[in-house]
Amino acid sequence: MANDKNAGSGKLGTFGYNALALSIFILLWTIVSWISESLFLPTPWTVLKSFLDLCTYGDVEGISLGMHIFKSTLRIFAGFVAACILGIPLGILMGLYPRVYDSTKSVIEPIRFIPPVAWIPLVIVLLVGFSRYAFIIWLGAFFPIFIGTLLSVRSVNPTHIDVPRSFGAKRLYIIRKIVIPSTLPDIFTGMRVGMGIGWDCIMAAEMIGGENEGLGVMILKYAELIRIEDIMVGMIVIGAIGFFINEIFIFVERRVFKWKEAIVIS
Amino acid sequence: MERELIDVDMSMKFDNLSVLEDIKFKVHENEFLVIVGPTGCGKTTLARLLGGLSKPSSGHVTIAGEDVNPKIHNVSFVFQEPSCIPWLTIWDDISMGLEIKGNNPQTAETKARIKEVIKLVGLDGFEEYFPKQISGGMKQRVAIARAYATKPDFLLMDEPFGHLDAQTRYLMQIEIMRIWEREKKTVAYITNNIEEAVYLATRIIVLSKLPARIKAEHSINLPRPRDLTGPDFLRIRAEITEQCEVVG
Amino acid sequence: MAGRKVKIEVRNLSKHFDDLIVLHQMDFDIYEGEFLCVVGPTGCGKTTFCNVVTGLLPITEGSITMGGEKIDFKKHNVSFVFQEPSCIPWRTIWDDVKIGLEIRKVPKKEINERVSAILDLTGLTEFKDFYPSQISAGMKQRVVIARSFVTEPDLLLMDEPFGQLDSSTRFYIENQLIKVWQKTKRTIIFVTHNLEEAVYLSERILVCTQKPTGIKEEVIVDLPHPRDITDREFVKIRNRVTDLVKWW
Amino acid sequence: MTNNYAEKMKTMGLNFFTLAMVLVLWTLIAYWQKSPFFATPYDIVLGFVQMVTVGDVEGYRLWSHMLHSLVRVSAGFAAACLVGIPGGLLLGLYPKIYDRTRILVEPIRFISPIAWIPMAIVLLVGFSRYIFVIWVASFFPIFVSTLWSVRQVNAVYVNVARVAGASRLFIIRKIIFPSILPSVIGGMRISLGISWMCIVAAEMIGGQMVGIGRLILKSAMVTRMDLVVVGMISIGFVGYATNELIIFIEKRIFRWRAAVSIE
């Protein structure tokens, strides 16, 4: 019992130390940048000011930060949903009929190893506007989801399949009641990984892709102007959105998969 | 002797590896048949054949003259591996067999049956728990309850307590005897534990090492509950131990 | 028993976890070269007892001394056989067995001699280059026994080492353990909840009470090895211990 | 055994068949389309020959692009291993340090490594730009997997050594290190995959005219679709080869994990 108390105070302590670490970091940052007075090392307060300016006045072309965020998330969302719609059923199907996958490996595997970012120039030539981005995200998110689902279907615990079989259950019943629930956590993990890669891809696609809106192109614009504080704002926003999306996944996983022994999160 | 329910006469090969050779026996109604054999002698293969989960490479396993098939016959299986479905609560897990057998899990009748078996194995109050929240012994109780719920004509248990520690195992043996004496069922129970076999069985079949053949058969007529240290018990146990080749 | 030299003195040993008293004023001696079994109900703090004796956990009260000195495994030569499988997966059997000698910086030549000798004695020589993933559970426990004896420990503690084995494998390994013990004459404390195992192995049994664990009684087992579980004297002692424990 | 062999041959045959079907279909569509944007497999072979013998529009040959990309990735990856593995080990052994300073490390993890490219362009020049981006990309998977696996070392193995009187250094060297190695290498494989993606992006944006990423982009600019595809296949191949290399090393080192059992 006293252990519990300890854990409680420990947690509070950890929180306190973290706050302390952050304060010291910001203080050091401020001092160093004041002393150096370098163009390349803005103070935290300059960064904050840039953030507020970006929100209210917009960037050099007058496009507000909100608009950039909106465009990026919209693209991500479209590509990601497409990847789920295709990747999950295909993964389940090919997991159930391993021979189909084994026989088409020669076509699927090479594509898997081409980084999705390498498709960007091809996509620029072949597609226009929104579809460019959606396609790249789709490509980036598809393989983790597809492969995650496929491997998971293949590794369903055989005893769990035998249980309904021993009662004489039909194939469809086994798929619905055993295969799908047991793969669901892995599908989710695949989705989380796919989302992460999709997020990397959208950055690259926006930097290369030609449009003026999107977080990726925004930070690249500021790189050309050598405005570090604005790049930092962009990166922090990117990190925050990535973190937020990841938290949503973890929240849903904890909720839906209460039955799991322990969810390893990293 | 009561009516013969199951007739076994078969051999099993995997590619060129012969696992079961000339296995020939009958199971009588309401009998508690225990099959013992050394580790790795193909006991699980035999269990799967008896439950209709796989087909023999030659010969037959029949119930009332028909090849055993879980889609037709009312057979239940208790697996050696922990078999609770992790994403189902105890209640849902137990209702699974009934649902497959065509009972609507929402009807009062089905619910009453589930309640009854949960009570039978002493799990009342744990209906809404997930497998990760209960102990190994309780998980095996769930598996037993699930098997009993469908009122099977034939109940197969493949080393159901192999993963439990000695004390839990002992308690579960008493439990399974209590349940069997209340709801007489035809049981085939497979184990490598000779003490357990002598404690439970009305009849014991001893298998040899791989490829497994039937080595001996014993009828056990000791009064129940059996005394693990009674002279007759120890004599039979020693005799069977002798017959079972001990493996390093 | 009285004439033997005392090896370890346990005086007034208590262990508390916050408010929970797990071990309560245990008082006993262990003789040189003795095979001592400690039995008690599941969950009575046997594992805590082992951890305290080896010094993995600190003592709340009392003392454990070997030759007048407090036990410290950097100084004394203590071996421990854990309840859970403890073969190190990335070491071959040979490398696993030699780990204790490696830690003590024994010269290479002597390591080779001692490891070969113990592998011979436990019948593992032909498996010396195997990894744990390639051998059976029974063999893994034999590796652990070899690993514990090879350092020629002043004290060997075994915490339910055979709990996870099936009965025929267990008998086989128990016989091997007795053989090794008779040859090396090490002092062994063997903790178990299996009474038959205790009577089969030991010279003396300490029967523990339910939590907080204390010592209820001491039973001398004065039978020659190898012992026969159906022998009348054996059954008598077993029943006596069972009466003392009355835990199932 | 014989059965298994026949099965393998059949799968291989089917694989050839699907691949051939895709190539034929591709050729047919390309001919039918007659578009400059749609290179036939034959064009790609010609493009490949050109890349090997003559080079791209600026005369850089394929091996030179590959070599540059490979050197950049290797340098950044090696730097990430050098910092990530000891760092993860240290913070895994002293979990309090990490728990108390998490707030400084964690947020950076969620910034996409590609978002560092503009920063690298501003702050660094030439080769170091690429190395920095690859370092950022591969550091976190290696660092985090090392850190977590140290925390999850099975206590029994540590106790085996402790009871025998082992020193702290012995436990780290002989127990902790081998036990975390599989996850560390797993983390390295993930890192490598991300690195190959980031190097392509970095090369496309980064300014130097050589590197596979650059080859793809500049060929696209002049609508040489055959060279674009040659570039894509090359990067896929290099990524595949390095991945296989790690798998090969894994199999070598981790023989003890073999699932083969004589039970």
Side-chain angles (χ1 to χ4, degrees):
Chain A
M1 289 309 116
N3 261 342
D4 278 355
K5 229 191 293 164
N6 258 334
S9 72
K11 219 173 197 174
L12 200 73
T14 308
F15 183 79
Y17 277 110
N18 270 305
L20 189 68
L22 186 65
S23 324
I24 291 174
F25 176 75
I26 291 180
L27 193 70
L28 273 177
W29 178 6
T30 314
I31 292 171
V32 172
S33 56
W34 259 334
I35 292 171
S36 72
E37 281 185 351
S38 160
L39 176 66
F40 298 106
L41 193 59
T43 64
W45 319 110
T46 330
V47 177
L48 189 66
K49 176 84 176 37
S50 300
F51 173 69
L52 295 174
D53 284 350
L54 273 170
C55 289
T56 48
Y57 302 116
D59 65 5
V60 277
E61 290 166 57
I63 303 162
S64 76
L65 186 63
M67 190 63 192
H68 287 299
I69 294 174
F70 173 72
K71 280 280 179 181
S72 291
T73 40
L74 191 70
R75 289 162 182 162
I76 268 256
F77 189 70
F80 180 72
V81 168
C84 291
I85 289 176
L86 231 89
I88 297 169
L90 209 62
I92 290 177
L93 210 72
M94 290 208 172
L96 289 173
Y97 300 95
R99 183 164 281 170
V100 179
Y101 178 68
D102 286 342
S103 317
T104 50
K105 253 183 147 161
S106 57
V107 177
I108 300 175
E109 287 288 293
I111 301 177
R112 231 182 96 193
F113 276 99
I114 299 175
V117 173
W119 286 80
I120 295 175
L122 190 74
V123 168
I124 291 177
V125 176
L126 296 180
L127 301 173
V128 281
F130 187 71
S131 60
R132 281 181 183 171
Y133 302 99
F135 178 79
I136 291 295
I137 309 300
W138 174 81
L139 204 63
F142 174 76
F143 279 106
I145 297 173
F146 170 69
I147 299 286
T149 310
L150 178 108
L151 291 181
S152 175
V153 171
R154 283 190 176 190
S155 60
V156 174
N157 184 338
T159 307
H160 294 160
I161 293 180
D162 278 342
V163 170
R165 263 193 78 204
S166 74
F167 286 112
K170 294 196 184 65
R171 202 177 157 81
L172 193 68
Y173 182 93
I174 295 174
I175 293 173
R176 269 195 314 129
K177 296 289 176 115
I178 303 292
V179 175
I180 291 180
S182 117
T183 19
L184 223 46
D186 292 330
I187 293 179
F188 242 81
T189 310
M191 280 164 71
R192 213 169 64 191
V193 175
M195 182 56 105
I197 294 182
W199 200 227
D200 291 342
C201 292
I202 191 68
M203 287 303 125
E206 285 175 348
M207 286 179 195
I208 307 163
E211 284 195 28
N212 262 326
E213 291 147 338
L215 288 165
V217 72
M218 182 188 98
I219 56 175
L220 194 66
K221 268 193 272 194
Y222 282 113
E224 278 152 21
L225 300 170
I226 317 188
R227 290 260 300 266
I228 301 277
E229 58 271 29
D230 295 284
I231 301 178
M232 278 184 169
V233 172
M235 286 172 63
I236 292 169
V237 170
I238 290 164
I241 297 174
F243 172 76
F244 188 64
I245 293 175
N246 197 54
E247 285 295 301
I248 293 177
F249 271 103
I250 291 172
F251 177 77
V252 174
E253 274 173 50
R254 286 225 170 105
R255 269 301 172 87
V256 178
F257 307 126
K258 269 184 297 187
W259 51 269
K260 285 287 265 186
E261 299 275 343
I263 295 168
V264 181
I265 289 149
S266 58
Chain B
M1 197 44 88
E2 304 207 40
R3 203 159 65 83
E4 282 165 6
L5 185 70
I6 292 139
D7 181 56
V8 182
D9 180 359
M10 51 90 189
S11 299
M12 186 69 180
K13 275 183 177 179
F14 290 110
D15 290 328
N16 295 318
L17 179 73
S18 180
V19 179
L20 303 171
E21 264 178 22
D22 273 332
I23 301 292
K24 202 168 169 180
F25 63 89
K26 292 184 166 58
V27 188
H28 308 283
E29 211 155 74
N30 295 341
E31 156 176 64
F32 201 112
L33 173 72
V34 177
I35 300 167
V36 291
T39 309
C41 82
K43 293 192 298 285
T44 295
T45 309
L46 179 61
R48 296 181 67 85
L49 289 163
L50 290 177
L53 289 176
S54 38
K55 297 264 162 283
S57 35
S58 65
H60 60 83
V61 180
T62 56
I63 293 186
E66 228 180 330
D67 273 347
V68 58
N69 178 353
K71 288 187 185 169
I72 304 167
H73 298 110
N74 198 355
V75 187
S76 283
F77 205 124
V78 179
F79 295 88
Q80 177 180 13
E81 297 80 17
S83 68
C84 281
I85 310 291
W87 52 90
L88 295 182
T89 59
I90 306 304
W91 179 279
D92 291 340
D93 200 315
I94 293 172
S95 82
M96 171 180 268
L98 288 162
E99 192 187 332
I100 295 169
K101 293 290 179 199
N103 303 286
N104 180 348
Q106 298 310 324
T107 60
E109 198 194 334
T110 314
K111 281 184 180 165
R113 177 62 186 162
I114 298 172
K115 258 201 191 107
E116 195 185 335
V117 285
I118 285 182
K119 211 169 162 158
L120 187 68
V121 297
L123 283 174
D124 350 24
F126 292 96
E127 290 86 350
E128 294 310 314
Y129 280 59
F130 285 107
K132 67 163 184 182
Q133 296 164 304
I134 60 177
S135 69
M138 282 161 84
K139 281 182 209 165
Q140 269 334 62
R141 280 168 206 246
V142 174
I144 291 165
R146 181 172 59 208
Y148 261 98
T150 56
K151 298 189 175 160
D153 302 321
F154 177 43
L155 180 60
L156 247 162
M157 305 177 102
D158 176 21
E159 295 192 44
F161 310 137
H163 290 286
L164 305 180
D165 68 71
Q167 187 182 8
T168 317
R169 192 169 179 151
Y170 183 82
L171 294 172
M172 290 302 296
Q173 285 162 15
I174 295 176
E175 190 89 338
I176 200 78
M177 232 40 255
R178 182 177 63 77
I179 295 171
W180 180 71
E181 280 173 344
R182 262 200 54 194
E183 295 212 0
K184 287 270 181 192
K185 286 275 174 286
T186 314
V187 178
Y189 187 103
I190 291 168
T191 181
N192 61 25
N193 187 318
I194 295 154
E195 187 177 55
E196 181 173 276
V198 181
Y199 183 77
L200 296 172
T202 55
R203 191 158 63 104
I204 296 178
I205 288 177
V206 183
L207 296 179
S208 69
K209 275 206 288 204
L210 210 65
R213 297 160 180 278
I214 294 181
K215 246 190 142 179
E217 211 184 300
H218 301 260
S219 275
I220 315 288
N221 296 316
L222 301 172
R224 291 183 199 272
R226 290 173 181 166
D227 174 11
L228 293 176
T229 54
D232 287 329
F233 189 96
L234 288 171
R235 186 180 45 74
I236 297 171
R237 183 180 150 186
E239 201 177 310
I240 296 175
T241 308
E242 198 99 315
Q243 283 164 349
C244 254
E245 288 146 277
V246 171
V247 281
Chain C
M1 202 61 58
R4 292 173 74 168
K5 193 177 146 214
V6 172
K7 175 105 182 175
I8 293 158
E9 287 180 8
V10 178
R11 288 290 168 269
N12 194 26
L13 174 69
S14 297
K15 173 72 191 172
H16 304 185
F17 286 106
D18 300 325
D19 303 333
L20 182 72
I21 304 170
V22 179
L23 305 178
H24 186 60
Q25 298 180 349
M26 299 177 89
D27 237 325
F28 60 95
D29 292 333
I30 302 163
Y31 304 103
E32 179 93 52
E34 181 184 27
F35 199 130
L36 175 74
C37 271
V38 177
V39 299
T42 300
C44 81
K46 293 192 296 275
T47 297
T48 307
F49 171 79
C50 291
N51 286 337
V52 167
V53 172
T54 46
L56 283 172
L57 283 176
I59 301 171
T60 310
E61 244 174 59
S63 67
I64 306 173
T65 51
M66 190 190 285
E69 265 185 296
K70 202 176 152 286
I71 287 197
D72 171 2
F73 45 64
K74 294 229 164 148
K75 217 180 303 156
H76 294 108
N77 198 344
V78 179
S79 280
F80 195 142
V81 176
F82 296 88
Q83 187 172 1
E84 53 273 64
S86 64
C87 277
I88 298 178
W90 55 88
R91 287 182 160 237
T92 59
I93 309 251
W94 176 279
D95 287 344
D96 202 338
V97 170
K98 79 171 195 196
I99 190 167
L101 301 174
E102 195 181 318
I103 290 169
R104 295 200 167 77
K105 304 208 170 64
V106 175
K108 210 163 177 191
K109 197 168 150 255
E110 199 187 330
I111 290 185
N112 287 345
E113 281 164 12
R114 277 162 72 173
V115 174
S116 317
I118 199 81
L119 288 182
D120 261 349
L121 195 60
T122 46
L124 287 167
T125 309
E126 54 176 316
F127 300 106
K128 69 182 167 59
D129 294 324
F130 282 58
Y131 287 103
S133 63
Q134 298 169 306
I135 60 175
S136 68
M139 269 165 80
K140 281 182 206 159
Q141 279 322 69
R142 273 152 68 191
V143 173
V144 173
I145 291 172
R147 176 170 76 197
S148 323
F149 273 98
V150 79
T151 55
E152 293 170 2
D154 300 317
L155 172 65
L156 174 57
L157 252 141
M158 307 181 85
D159 180 15
E160 291 189 35
F162 308 138
Q164 279 140 355
L165 304 180
D166 67 64
S167 50
S168 52
T169 316
R170 218 187 61 218
F171 273 121
Y172 181 79
I173 296 181
E174 280 166 7
N175 288 338
Q176 216 154 22
L177 174 64
I178 290 293
K179 212 172 78 192
V180 177
W181 170 67
Q182 283 174 328
K183 188 136 186 210
T184 57
K185 279 291 165 203
R186 297 288 131 198
T187 312
I188 298 178
I189 305 180
F190 189 103
V191 177
T192 179
H193 63 228
N194 186 328
L195 303 183
E196 189 176 85
E197 186 174 44
V199 181
Y200 190 73
L201 292 170
S202 68
E203 295 179 284
R204 189 160 63 113
I205 300 173
L206 291 180
V207 181
C208 292
T209 55
Q210 191 55 273
K211 220 176 259 170
T213 306
I215 291 169
K216 195 169 180 188
E217 200 161 333
E218 186 177 302
V219 178
I220 308 282
V221 187
D222 196 10
L223 300 171
H225 281 291
R227 290 170 185 169
D228 175 6
I229 54 159
T230 59
D231 178 63
R232 276 199 23 228
E233 281 300 306
F234 187 96
V235 173
K236 223 172 86 188
I237 296 175
R238 185 182 160 173
N239 284 342
R240 167 130 189 268
V241 179
T242 312
D243 282 343
L244 280 173
V245 180
K246 275 282 182 245
W247 43 292
W248 51 25
Chain D
M1 278 298 124
T2 44
N3 216 343
N4 221 333
Y5 180 72
E7 190 66 22
K8 248 187 194 156
M9 289 309 288
K10 197 176 162 193
T11 312
M12 233 165 90
L14 279 169
N15 266 306
F16 270 116
F17 178 71
T18 24
L19 188 61
M21 282 295 292
V22 169
L23 289 180
V24 168
L25 217 67
W26 178 357
T27 314
L28 284 178
I29 296 175
Y31 271 117
W32 176 57
Q33 266 282 335
K34 287 205 182 68
S35 148
F37 301 119
F38 218 134
T40 63
Y42 180 64
D43 292 337
I44 290 160
V45 174
L46 289 184
F48 178 74
V49 173
Q50 185 206 324
M51 277 309 298
V52 171
T53 52
V54 188
D56 63 14
V57 281
E58 282 161 342
Y60 293 106
R61 291 192 193 166
L62 187 60
W63 66 266
S64 160
H65 287 296
M66 277 167 113
L67 190 72
H68 273 87
S69 298
L70 200 61
V71 168
R72 287 163 184 162
V73 166
S74 313
F77 182 70
C81 290
L82 278 176
V83 184
I85 298 172
L89 191 62
L90 199 75
L91 293 186
L93 289 171
Y94 301 96
K96 271 194 182 152
I97 301 180
Y98 182 65
D99 285 345
R100 289 174 178 181
T101 54
R102 268 185 101 126
I103 200 163
L104 301 181
V105 185
E106 285 287 297
I108 302 173
R109 253 178 78 190
F110 285 98
I111 300 175
S112 161
I114 291 176
W116 283 90
I117 295 176
M119 194 65 115
I121 290 177
V122 176
L123 297 179
L124 302 168
V125 281
F127 188 55
S128 59
R129 280 182 184 170
Y130 301 100
I131 295 189
F132 175 74
V133 171
I134 298 302
W135 181 83
V136 171
S138 35
F139 172 74
F140 279 105
I142 294 173
F143 172 73
V144 172
S145 60
T146 310
L147 185 105
W148 275 104
S149 57
V150 173
R151 289 187 176 196
Q152 277 157 359
V153 172
N154 190 339
V156 177
Y157 305 146
V158 175
N159 280 341
V160 166
R162 267 185 71 197
V163 171
S167 64
R168 204 174 159 78
L169 192 68
F170 183 94
I171 292 174
I172 292 174
R173 274 195 314 136
K174 298 286 175 130
I175 303 289
I176 291 180
F177 192 69
S179 112
I180 64 170
L181 208 54
S183 356
V184 172
I185 295 200
M188 282 164 72
R189 263 178 65 197
I190 295 175
S191 287
L192 205 61
I194 300 179
S195 296
W196 280 114
M197 189 166 82
C198 291
I199 195 64
V200 175
E203 285 173 350
M204 286 180 186
I205 305 163
Q208 290 196 358
M209 292 318 279
V210 63
I212 299 180
R214 195 57 181 203
L215 164 71
I216 298 173
L217 190 69
K218 70 183 169 191
S219 306
M221 293 304 150
V222 294
T223 346
R224 280 294 301 273
M225 299 320 282
D226 52 339
L227 298 189
V228 171
V229 179
V230 169
M232 286 167 64
I233 292 173
S234 317
I235 192 102
F237 173 75
V238 185
Y240 171 78
T242 43
N243 192 52
E244 285 296 300
L245 185 73
I246 292 196
I247 292 177
F248 175 77
I249 294 171
E250 263 180 330
K251 278 194 182 145
R252 265 308 176 80
I253 309 183
F254 305 132
R255 265 173 311 162
W256 53 269
R257 285 177 109 196
V260 231
S261 160
I262 57 157
E263 249 179 280

